[in-house]
Amino acid sequence: MRATRGFLSCFPFILALVWLPAMPVNAAQVPASSVEFPVWSRSWDGTLGSRQVKIMLNRIADGLSGSYCYQPCKAQTRSQLVLTGRMRGEGAELTERDSGHGADTTGIWHIESLQDGITGTWTSPNGKRTLPLALRQIHTQDDLTARFPYEIRLLADSLPGEEDDDCNTPPLVSAIRLYKDGTLFQTLETESEGTCSIFTPALVDANFDGWPDLSLALFLPAGPNIPQQTWLYDATTGRFADAPASLQAISSAEFDPVHRTVYSYWRASCCEHGVSTYRWKGSEVEEVETRSSYFLPLLDGATRRLCYIAPSYGDGFIEFASRVEQTADGRLRLRQIDPKTCDIDDGALLERMYIDIWKPDPRGQKPTLLRTEEIAWKPTQTPAGQRYCPEVPFFDSGHVRRMVFSENPGLCREEGSPQE
Protein backbone atom coordinates (compact mmCIF):
# COMPACT_ATOMS: atom_id res chain seq x y z
CA MET A 1 0.00 0.00 0.00
CA ARG A 2 1.31 3.41 -0.88
CA ALA A 3 0.70 5.95 1.88
CA THR A 4 1.66 9.57 1.43
CA ARG A 5 1.85 11.48 4.68
CA GLY A 6 -0.21 14.63 4.50
CA PHE A 7 -1.57 17.11 6.89
CA LEU A 8 -5.03 17.08 8.29
CA SER A 9 -8.30 18.27 6.91
CA CYS A 10 -10.91 20.71 7.88
CA PHE A 11 -13.82 19.73 9.97
CA PRO A 12 -16.41 21.95 11.58
CA PHE A 13 -15.89 22.71 15.22
CA ILE A 14 -19.01 22.27 17.37
CA LEU A 15 -19.15 23.88 20.77
CA ALA A 16 -20.59 21.54 23.39
CA LEU A 17 -20.46 23.68 26.48
CA VAL A 18 -22.80 24.04 29.43
CA TRP A 19 -24.62 27.37 29.63
CA LEU A 20 -24.65 29.46 32.75
CA PRO A 21 -26.31 32.89 33.15
CA ALA A 22 -24.33 35.89 32.01
CA MET A 23 -22.56 37.78 34.76
CA PRO A 24 -21.01 41.24 35.10
CA VAL A 25 -17.31 41.38 34.37
CA ASN A 26 -14.88 43.37 36.44
CA ALA A 27 -13.57 46.05 34.08
CA ALA A 28 -10.15 45.86 35.70
CA GLN A 29 -9.83 42.27 34.53
CA VAL A 30 -10.21 43.15 30.85
CA PRO A 31 -7.74 45.35 28.90
CA ALA A 32 -9.28 48.53 27.52
CA SER A 33 -8.77 47.32 23.95
CA SER A 34 -10.53 43.99 24.57
CA VAL A 35 -14.07 42.79 25.07
CA GLU A 36 -15.37 39.65 26.70
CA PHE A 37 -18.46 37.69 25.69
CA PRO A 38 -20.05 34.30 26.45
CA VAL A 39 -20.22 31.34 24.06
CA TRP A 40 -22.13 28.11 24.47
CA SER A 41 -23.99 25.37 22.66
CA ARG A 42 -27.02 23.62 24.06
CA SER A 43 -29.71 21.11 23.06
CA TRP A 44 -33.29 20.67 24.30
CA ASP A 45 -36.24 18.42 23.61
CA GLY A 46 -39.89 18.83 24.46
CA THR A 47 -43.01 20.20 22.84
CA LEU A 48 -43.96 22.95 20.42
CA GLY A 49 -47.71 22.94 20.84
CA SER A 50 -48.61 19.25 20.75
CA ARG A 51 -45.63 18.20 18.62
CA GLN A 52 -42.42 16.68 19.98
CA VAL A 53 -39.36 18.63 18.82
CA LYS A 54 -35.61 18.75 19.33
CA ILE A 55 -33.70 22.06 19.22
CA MET A 56 -30.02 23.01 19.15
CA LEU A 57 -28.76 26.57 19.68
CA ASN A 58 -25.30 28.16 19.64
CA ARG A 59 -24.60 31.45 21.39
CA ILE A 60 -21.78 33.87 20.47
CA ALA A 61 -22.02 37.10 22.48
CA ASP A 62 -25.74 37.99 22.21
CA GLY A 63 -26.20 36.28 18.86
CA LEU A 64 -28.04 32.96 18.60
CA SER A 65 -28.19 30.47 15.74
CA GLY A 66 -29.31 26.89 15.41
CA SER A 67 -32.03 24.60 14.14
CA TYR A 68 -34.81 22.28 15.24
CA CYS A 69 -36.68 19.26 13.93
CA TYR A 70 -39.87 17.33 14.64
CA GLN A 71 -39.28 14.00 16.38
CA PRO A 72 -38.28 11.46 15.28
CA CYS A 73 -35.68 13.63 13.58
CA LYS A 74 -34.34 12.40 10.26
CA ALA A 75 -30.93 13.19 8.80
CA GLN A 76 -32.40 15.13 5.86
CA THR A 77 -34.60 17.34 8.07
CA ARG A 78 -32.44 17.68 11.19
CA SER A 79 -31.13 21.13 10.19
CA GLN A 80 -33.82 22.22 7.72
CA LEU A 81 -35.74 24.47 10.15
CA VAL A 82 -33.23 27.24 10.87
CA LEU A 83 -33.32 29.57 13.87
CA THR A 84 -31.50 32.92 14.22
CA GLY A 85 -31.93 35.72 16.72
CA ARG A 86 -30.61 37.58 19.76
CA MET A 87 -30.67 37.30 23.52
CA ARG A 88 -33.28 39.46 25.23
CA GLY A 89 -32.42 39.61 28.93
CA GLU A 90 -32.80 36.07 30.28
CA GLY A 91 -34.79 35.07 27.20
CA ALA A 92 -34.47 35.45 23.45
CA GLU A 93 -36.33 36.17 20.23
CA LEU A 94 -35.69 33.89 17.28
CA THR A 95 -36.76 33.98 13.65
CA GLU A 96 -37.61 30.62 12.11
CA ARG A 97 -37.03 29.83 8.42
CA ASP A 98 -37.47 26.65 6.40
CA SER A 99 -34.25 26.33 4.38
CA GLY A 100 -35.92 23.79 2.10
CA HIS A 101 -38.51 26.32 0.92
CA GLY A 102 -36.69 29.59 0.40
CA ALA A 103 -35.79 32.24 2.97
CA ASP A 104 -39.28 33.33 4.04
CA THR A 105 -40.03 33.54 7.76
CA THR A 106 -42.14 30.62 8.96
CA GLY A 107 -42.45 31.57 12.62
CA ILE A 108 -41.22 33.69 15.54
CA TRP A 109 -40.02 32.18 18.83
CA HIS A 110 -40.58 34.38 21.89
CA ILE A 111 -38.51 32.71 24.64
CA GLU A 112 -39.15 33.91 28.17
CA SER A 113 -36.27 32.02 29.81
CA LEU A 114 -33.30 29.81 28.88
CA GLN A 115 -32.21 29.08 32.45
CA ASP A 116 -34.32 26.05 33.33
CA GLY A 117 -35.27 24.75 29.90
CA ILE A 118 -37.17 26.79 27.34
CA THR A 119 -40.50 28.43 28.02
CA GLY A 120 -42.35 30.84 25.78
CA THR A 121 -44.48 30.86 22.65
CA TRP A 122 -44.21 30.22 18.93
CA THR A 123 -46.11 32.70 16.74
CA SER A 124 -47.01 32.40 13.07
CA PRO A 125 -45.64 35.13 10.73
CA ASN A 126 -49.04 36.84 10.53
CA GLY A 127 -49.45 36.73 14.31
CA LYS A 128 -52.78 34.88 14.16
CA ARG A 129 -51.60 31.58 15.63
CA THR A 130 -49.61 30.91 18.80
CA LEU A 131 -48.34 27.69 20.37
CA PRO A 132 -46.70 27.14 23.75
CA LEU A 133 -43.04 26.09 24.06
CA ALA A 134 -42.00 23.65 26.79
CA LEU A 135 -38.54 22.09 26.43
CA ARG A 136 -35.88 20.74 28.77
CA GLN A 137 -32.13 20.59 28.31
CA ILE A 138 -30.77 17.30 27.04
CA HIS A 139 -28.12 15.55 29.12
CA THR A 140 -26.94 12.00 28.48
CA GLN A 141 -24.98 9.80 30.86
CA ASP A 142 -21.73 10.32 28.94
CA ASP A 143 -22.41 13.98 28.10
CA LEU A 144 -19.23 15.99 28.70
CA THR A 145 -21.25 19.13 29.43
CA ALA A 146 -22.56 17.51 32.63
CA ARG A 147 -18.96 17.29 33.91
CA PHE A 148 -17.95 20.80 32.89
CA PRO A 149 -18.76 23.25 35.71
CA TYR A 150 -17.57 26.45 34.01
CA GLU A 151 -19.01 29.26 31.98
CA ILE A 152 -16.84 30.02 28.97
CA ARG A 153 -16.19 33.54 27.79
CA LEU A 154 -13.87 34.61 25.01
CA LEU A 155 -11.55 37.60 25.24
CA ALA A 156 -11.23 39.31 21.84
CA ASP A 157 -10.28 42.61 20.25
CA SER A 158 -13.91 43.35 19.28
CA LEU A 159 -17.42 41.94 19.42
CA PRO A 160 -18.60 39.63 16.63
CA GLY A 161 -20.75 41.24 13.95
CA GLU A 162 -24.45 40.63 13.45
CA GLU A 163 -25.49 37.28 11.95
CA ASP A 164 -26.49 38.94 8.66
CA ASP A 165 -23.35 41.06 8.32
CA ASP A 166 -21.15 40.70 5.25
CA CYS A 167 -18.22 38.32 5.52
CA ASN A 168 -15.72 40.62 7.20
CA THR A 169 -12.68 39.74 9.26
CA PRO A 170 -13.95 38.38 12.58
CA PRO A 171 -12.50 39.33 15.98
CA LEU A 172 -9.11 38.01 17.06
CA VAL A 173 -9.61 35.84 20.15
CA SER A 174 -6.71 36.13 22.61
CA ALA A 175 -7.96 34.02 25.51
CA ILE A 176 -10.55 31.60 26.79
CA ARG A 177 -11.79 32.60 30.22
CA LEU A 178 -13.37 30.07 32.56
CA TYR A 179 -15.74 31.31 35.25
CA LYS A 180 -17.00 29.29 38.20
CA ASP A 181 -19.68 30.57 40.59
CA GLY A 182 -19.28 34.06 39.17
CA THR A 183 -15.52 34.20 39.67
CA LEU A 184 -12.77 34.03 37.06
CA PHE A 185 -11.16 30.63 37.65
CA GLN A 186 -8.62 30.24 34.81
CA THR A 187 -7.44 32.02 31.66
CA LEU A 188 -6.16 30.02 28.68
CA GLU A 189 -4.13 32.19 26.33
CA THR A 190 -4.49 31.60 22.61
CA GLU A 191 -4.56 33.36 19.25
CA SER A 192 -7.52 32.32 17.14
CA GLU A 193 -9.13 34.06 14.17
CA GLY A 194 -11.68 32.61 11.80
CA THR A 195 -12.70 33.83 8.38
CA CYS A 196 -16.33 34.97 8.23
CA SER A 197 -17.05 33.99 11.84
CA ILE A 198 -15.03 33.25 14.95
CA PHE A 199 -13.97 29.78 15.99
CA THR A 200 -15.46 28.66 19.30
CA PRO A 201 -14.08 26.12 21.78
CA ALA A 202 -15.16 22.49 21.61
CA LEU A 203 -15.50 20.09 24.51
CA VAL A 204 -13.73 16.82 23.65
CA ASP A 205 -12.31 13.89 25.54
CA ALA A 206 -8.90 14.11 23.91
CA ASN A 207 -7.10 11.62 26.17
CA PHE A 208 -10.07 9.29 26.80
CA ASP A 209 -10.08 9.66 30.58
CA GLY A 210 -13.77 10.51 30.69
CA TRP A 211 -13.20 14.17 31.54
CA PRO A 212 -13.90 17.15 29.26
CA ASP A 213 -10.91 18.72 27.52
CA LEU A 214 -10.96 21.92 25.44
CA SER A 215 -9.96 22.44 21.81
CA LEU A 216 -9.99 25.57 19.65
CA ALA A 217 -9.25 26.06 15.96
CA LEU A 218 -6.61 28.72 15.37
CA PHE A 219 -6.95 29.86 11.75
CA LEU A 220 -8.09 28.69 8.32
CA PRO A 221 -5.11 28.14 6.00
CA ALA A 222 -5.20 28.08 2.21
CA GLY A 223 -5.94 24.36 2.39
CA PRO A 224 -8.51 22.81 4.70
CA ASN A 225 -6.00 21.48 7.26
CA ILE A 226 -6.90 23.57 10.28
CA PRO A 227 -4.44 23.79 13.19
CA GLN A 228 -5.95 23.73 16.65
CA GLN A 229 -4.92 24.23 20.25
CA THR A 230 -5.96 21.72 22.90
CA TRP A 231 -5.93 21.82 26.70
CA LEU A 232 -6.28 18.71 28.88
CA TYR A 233 -8.35 18.72 32.07
CA ASP A 234 -6.82 17.70 35.37
CA ALA A 235 -9.62 16.26 37.50
CA THR A 236 -7.53 16.68 40.67
CA THR A 237 -7.07 20.44 40.37
CA GLY A 238 -9.99 21.24 38.08
CA ARG A 239 -7.60 23.19 35.85
CA PHE A 240 -6.55 22.83 32.21
CA ALA A 241 -2.98 22.42 30.88
CA ASP A 242 -1.54 22.44 27.37
CA ALA A 243 -1.79 19.11 25.58
CA PRO A 244 1.55 17.60 24.43
CA ALA A 245 3.07 18.83 21.19
CA SER A 246 2.42 15.44 19.59
CA LEU A 247 -1.31 16.11 19.83
CA GLN A 248 -1.13 19.83 19.04
CA ALA A 249 0.59 18.97 15.74
CA ILE A 250 -2.45 17.02 14.52
CA SER A 251 -4.70 19.38 12.59
CA SER A 252 -8.46 18.85 12.73
CA ALA A 253 -8.07 15.98 15.18
CA GLU A 254 -11.18 13.98 16.05
CA PHE A 255 -11.58 11.60 18.94
CA ASP A 256 -13.11 8.11 19.08
CA PRO A 257 -13.54 7.21 22.77
CA VAL A 258 -14.94 3.75 21.99
CA HIS A 259 -11.74 2.64 20.26
CA ARG A 260 -9.52 5.16 22.10
CA THR A 261 -8.26 6.44 18.78
CA VAL A 262 -7.38 9.93 17.60
CA TYR A 263 -8.00 10.29 13.86
CA SER A 264 -7.78 13.00 11.27
CA TYR A 265 -8.88 13.56 7.70
CA TRP A 266 -6.37 15.59 5.72
CA ARG A 267 -5.67 16.94 2.25
CA ALA A 268 -2.18 17.17 0.77
CA SER A 269 -3.21 18.62 -2.62
CA CYS A 270 -6.26 19.03 -4.83
CA CYS A 271 -6.12 15.34 -5.71
CA GLU A 272 -4.79 13.69 -2.57
CA HIS A 273 -6.84 13.12 0.54
CA GLY A 274 -6.12 10.81 3.41
CA VAL A 275 -6.77 9.65 6.95
CA SER A 276 -4.31 9.16 9.81
CA THR A 277 -4.91 7.42 13.15
CA TYR A 278 -3.05 7.86 16.43
CA ARG A 279 -3.06 6.34 19.91
CA TRP A 280 -1.89 7.55 23.28
CA LYS A 281 1.27 5.93 24.60
CA GLY A 282 1.94 7.28 28.05
CA SER A 283 1.72 11.07 27.88
CA GLU A 284 2.34 11.30 24.12
CA VAL A 285 0.35 10.54 20.96
CA GLU A 286 1.91 8.22 18.37
CA GLU A 287 0.85 7.63 14.77
CA VAL A 288 -0.61 4.18 14.08
CA GLU A 289 -1.57 4.24 10.42
CA THR A 290 -1.87 6.59 7.45
CA ARG A 291 -3.69 5.91 4.18
CA SER A 292 -4.02 8.22 1.21
CA SER A 293 -6.19 8.34 -1.88
CA TYR A 294 -5.29 6.78 -5.22
CA PHE A 295 -6.61 6.34 -8.77
CA LEU A 296 -8.19 3.04 -9.74
CA PRO A 297 -8.01 2.31 -13.51
CA LEU A 298 -10.96 0.41 -14.98
CA LEU A 299 -12.46 -0.37 -18.36
CA ASP A 300 -16.06 0.63 -18.97
CA GLY A 301 -16.57 -1.32 -22.17
CA ALA A 302 -13.95 0.17 -24.47
CA THR A 303 -13.63 3.36 -22.41
CA ARG A 304 -10.69 3.75 -20.06
CA ARG A 305 -11.65 5.42 -16.81
CA LEU A 306 -9.98 6.48 -13.57
CA CYS A 307 -11.87 6.29 -10.28
CA TYR A 308 -10.72 8.46 -7.39
CA ILE A 309 -10.62 6.25 -4.28
CA ALA A 310 -10.29 7.92 -0.87
CA PRO A 311 -10.02 6.31 2.58
CA SER A 312 -12.35 6.84 5.52
CA TYR A 313 -12.33 6.11 9.24
CA GLY A 314 -14.91 4.09 11.14
CA ASP A 315 -15.22 1.40 13.82
CA GLY A 316 -11.62 1.86 14.91
CA PHE A 317 -9.84 1.41 11.58
CA ILE A 318 -9.14 3.05 8.22
CA GLU A 319 -10.75 1.48 5.19
CA PHE A 320 -11.55 2.14 1.54
CA ALA A 321 -15.31 1.75 1.36
CA SER A 322 -15.05 1.93 -2.44
CA ARG A 323 -12.72 -0.88 -3.49
CA VAL A 324 -12.05 -4.01 -5.54
CA GLU A 325 -12.82 -7.23 -3.65
CA GLN A 326 -11.88 -10.81 -4.40
CA THR A 327 -14.66 -13.35 -3.93
CA ALA A 328 -14.25 -16.88 -2.62
CA ASP A 329 -14.09 -18.25 -6.20
CA GLY A 330 -11.24 -15.88 -7.08
CA ARG A 331 -13.26 -13.43 -9.17
CA LEU A 332 -12.96 -9.70 -8.66
CA ARG A 333 -15.86 -7.34 -8.06
CA LEU A 334 -16.38 -3.62 -7.55
CA ARG A 335 -17.75 -2.46 -4.20
CA GLN A 336 -19.47 0.94 -4.09
CA ILE A 337 -17.95 2.00 -7.41
CA ASP A 338 -20.07 3.11 -10.38
CA PRO A 339 -17.81 3.21 -13.46
CA LYS A 340 -20.02 5.85 -15.10
CA THR A 341 -19.12 8.32 -12.33
CA CYS A 342 -15.36 7.93 -12.91
CA ASP A 343 -13.37 10.29 -15.13
CA ILE A 344 -12.30 9.28 -18.61
CA ASP A 345 -8.60 8.43 -18.61
CA ASP A 346 -6.66 10.64 -21.01
CA GLY A 347 -3.41 8.80 -20.32
CA ALA A 348 -1.77 11.83 -18.73
CA LEU A 349 -1.97 10.75 -15.07
CA LEU A 350 0.20 7.92 -13.77
CA GLU A 351 0.97 9.05 -10.22
CA ARG A 352 -0.75 6.96 -7.54
CA MET A 353 -2.45 4.75 -10.12
CA TYR A 354 -2.89 1.12 -9.06
CA ILE A 355 -5.45 -1.47 -7.95
CA ASP A 356 -5.67 -2.67 -4.37
CA ILE A 357 -7.46 -6.01 -4.08
CA TRP A 358 -9.15 -6.75 -0.76
CA LYS A 359 -10.65 -9.72 1.02
CA PRO A 360 -13.79 -8.63 2.92
CA ASP A 361 -14.25 -9.65 6.53
CA PRO A 362 -17.55 -11.56 7.03
CA ARG A 363 -17.95 -9.99 10.49
CA GLY A 364 -17.70 -6.45 9.13
CA GLN A 365 -14.25 -5.90 10.59
CA LYS A 366 -11.24 -4.46 8.77
CA PRO A 367 -10.79 -6.11 5.34
CA THR A 368 -7.47 -7.73 4.39
CA LEU A 369 -5.31 -6.35 1.60
CA LEU A 370 -4.44 -9.36 -0.57
CA ARG A 371 -2.25 -7.69 -3.17
CA THR A 372 -1.66 -4.54 -5.17
CA GLU A 373 -1.55 -4.46 -8.95
CA GLU A 374 0.89 -1.72 -9.88
CA ILE A 375 2.26 -0.11 -13.03
CA ALA A 376 5.19 -1.93 -14.62
CA TRP A 377 7.58 -0.49 -17.22
CA LYS A 378 7.92 -2.57 -20.37
CA PRO A 379 10.39 -2.21 -23.27
CA THR A 380 8.28 -1.00 -26.18
CA GLN A 381 8.86 0.26 -29.70
CA THR A 382 7.37 3.77 -30.02
CA PRO A 383 7.39 6.43 -32.76
CA ALA A 384 10.31 7.96 -30.86
CA GLY A 385 12.23 4.68 -30.78
CA GLN A 386 12.78 2.05 -28.09
CA ARG A 387 11.35 3.18 -24.76
CA TYR A 388 10.12 1.76 -21.47
CA CYS A 389 6.39 2.47 -21.44
CA PRO A 390 3.90 2.09 -18.59
CA GLU A 391 1.94 -1.13 -18.45
CA VAL A 392 -1.18 -0.13 -16.51
CA PRO A 393 -3.48 -2.59 -14.72
CA PHE A 394 -7.19 -2.07 -15.44
CA PHE A 395 -10.15 -3.68 -13.73
CA ASP A 396 -12.09 -5.31 -16.55
CA SER A 397 -15.28 -7.29 -15.88
CA GLY A 398 -14.03 -9.28 -12.91
CA HIS A 399 -10.34 -9.59 -13.72
CA VAL A 400 -7.23 -7.44 -14.20
CA ARG A 401 -6.24 -6.57 -17.74
CA ARG A 402 -2.87 -4.92 -18.37
CA MET A 403 -2.44 -2.39 -21.16
CA VAL A 404 0.79 -0.79 -22.38
CA PHE A 405 0.57 2.95 -23.00
CA SER A 406 2.79 3.35 -26.05
CA GLU A 407 0.75 5.86 -28.05
CA ASN A 408 2.23 8.78 -26.12
CA PRO A 409 6.05 8.55 -25.96
CA GLY A 410 6.03 11.39 -23.45
CA LEU A 411 4.75 8.92 -20.84
CA CYS A 412 7.60 6.52 -21.51
CA ARG A 413 11.16 6.42 -20.17
CA GLU A 414 14.43 5.90 -21.90
CA GLU A 415 15.41 3.47 -19.13
CA GLY A 416 13.39 0.98 -17.16
CA SER A 417 12.34 1.47 -13.53
CA PRO A 418 14.83 0.55 -10.78
CA GLN A 419 12.95 -2.73 -10.31
CA GLU A 420 13.44 -3.84 -13.89
Side-chain angles (χ1 to χ4, degrees):
M1 183 65 189
R2 297 173 185 246
T4 303
R5 180 73 169 94
F7 293 97
L8 313 173
S9 66
C10 169
F11 281 85
F13 287 82
I14 302 174
L15 176 64
L17 306 176
V18 68
W19 179 85
L20 297 174
M23 66 193 70
V25 179
N26 186 341
Q29 296 175 341
V30 182
S33 59
S34 298
V35 293
E36 190 181 64
F37 50 87
V39 293
W40 49 255
S41 180
R42 199 176 181 188
S43 296
W44 299 262
D45 62 11
T47 57
L48 190 166
S50 60
R51 300 287 300 275
Q52 293 288 326
V53 297
K54 183 175 181 179
I55 175 176
M56 185 277 291
L57 283 178
N58 296 313
R59 178 181 181 179
I60 300 177
D62 282 340
L64 295 171
S65 62
S67 62
Y68 80 100
C69 53
Y70 290 94
Q71 306 260 33
C73 296
K74 300 179 181 179
Q76 61 269 29
T77 61
R78 190 171 295 274
S79 59
Q80 182 173 324
L81 296 169
V82 178
L83 298 170
T84 56
R86 311 275 306 168
M87 295 292 298
R88 296 285 186 264
E90 293 184 353
E93 183 171 307
L94 304 174
T95 300
E96 171 192 305
R97 295 181 176 86
D98 187 341
S99 61
H101 297 85
D104 293 338
T105 299
T106 55
I108 303 295
W109 291 50
H110 302 279
I111 297 176
E112 298 168 356
S113 174
L114 287 161
Q115 292 191 42
D116 298 312
I118 288 180
T119 57
T121 57
W122 174 94
T123 306
S124 62
N126 59 13
K128 295 182 177 180
R129 186 182 179 206
T130 61
L131 297 170
L133 298 169
L135 301 104
R136 63 187 181 278
Q137 186 179 357
I138 299 173
H139 280 303
T140 60
Q141 186 175 0
D142 59 350
D143 189 356
L144 293 175
T145 63
R147 312 190 78 179
F148 188 81
Y150 307 110
E151 178 195 8
I152 287 190
R153 288 178 169 235
L154 299 183
L155 189 66
D157 59 359
S158 64
L159 285 171
E162 297 284 344
E163 184 71 23
D164 297 330
D165 281 356
D166 293 334
C167 184
N168 297 318
T169 302
L172 174 65
V173 175
S174 58
I176 299 172
R177 291 191 161 190
L178 305 178
Y179 284 85
K180 186 174 184 179
D181 301 326
T183 302
L184 179 63
F185 181 78
Q186 187 177 6
T187 298
L188 305 174
E189 295 184 356
T190 187
E191 188 170 309
S192 170
E193 188 168 30
T195 50
C196 293
S197 60
I198 67 170
F199 292 119
T200 55
L203 271 187
V204 298
D205 186 3
N207 55 359
F208 312 122
D209 63 355
W211 291 96
D213 306 310
L214 279 171
S215 186
L216 179 67
L218 299 180
F219 62 90
L220 185 65
N225 309 314
I226 302 180
Q228 59 194 60
Q229 188 173 359
T230 302
W231 298 266
L232 302 181
Y233 181 73
D234 184 335
T236 303
T237 63
R239 302 181 70 84
F240 290 83
D242 287 332
S246 54
L247 178 62
Q248 307 279 18
I250 303 172
S251 300
S252 303
E254 298 186 60
F255 305 93
D256 177 0
V258 174
H259 301 96
R260 303 180 69 84
T261 299
V262 182
Y263 65 97
S264 175
Y265 287 81
W266 48 264
R267 191 185 82 178
S269 68
C270 68
C271 305
E272 184 178 3
H273 299 76
V275 181
S276 298
T277 59
Y278 308 81
R279 286 187 182 275
W280 285 91
K281 187 173 182 180
S283 60
E284 297 292 336
V285 175
E286 295 185 354
E287 183 176 322
V288 175
E289 185 180 18
T290 290
R291 298 292 186 190
S292 65
S293 58
Y294 67 97
F295 294 93
L296 168 67
L298 62 77
L299 292 175
D300 179 20
T303 304
R304 298 189 321 216
R305 295 184 181 273
L306 284 180
C307 304
Y308 186 68
I309 308 297
S312 60
Y313 175 83
D315 295 326
F317 58 85
I318 301 173
E319 73 165 341
F320 292 87
S322 302
R323 59 180 181 254
V324 175
E325 293 183 337
Q326 181 171 297
T327 62
D329 61 2
R331 286 183 58 82
L332 304 181
R333 66 185 179 193
L334 297 176
R335 181 183 186 272
Q336 296 186 19
I337 297 175
D338 179 1
K340 299 297 183 184
T341 65
C342 302
D343 294 332
I344 295 177
D345 177 24
D346 60 5
L349 181 63
L350 294 177
E351 184 182 3
R352 302 193 338 274
M353 185 188 295
Y354 51 88
I355 302 176
D356 278 338
I357 299 174
W358 299 86
K359 177 184 177 182
D361 186 288
R363 301 163 298 175
Q365 299 300 308
K366 186 175 182 178
T368 302
L369 179 61
L370 297 177
R371 66 184 186 277
T372 299
E373 298 283 348
E374 300 184 282
I375 292 174
W377 297 88
K378 299 297 181 181
T380 308
Q381 190 63 36
T382 73
Q386 181 79 7
R387 295 288 189 273
Y388 286 85
C389 296
E391 181 190 64
V392 179
F394 283 84
F395 176 90
D396 182 16
S397 302
H399 65 277
V400 174
R401 177 182 174 187
R402 289 185 165 271
M403 302 176 66
V404 177
F405 286 16
S406 59
E407 67 272 19
N408 183 359
L411 297 177
C412 304
R413 304 171 175 175
E414 293 188 5
E415 299 180 354
S417 69
Q419 290 78 25
E420 295 293 335

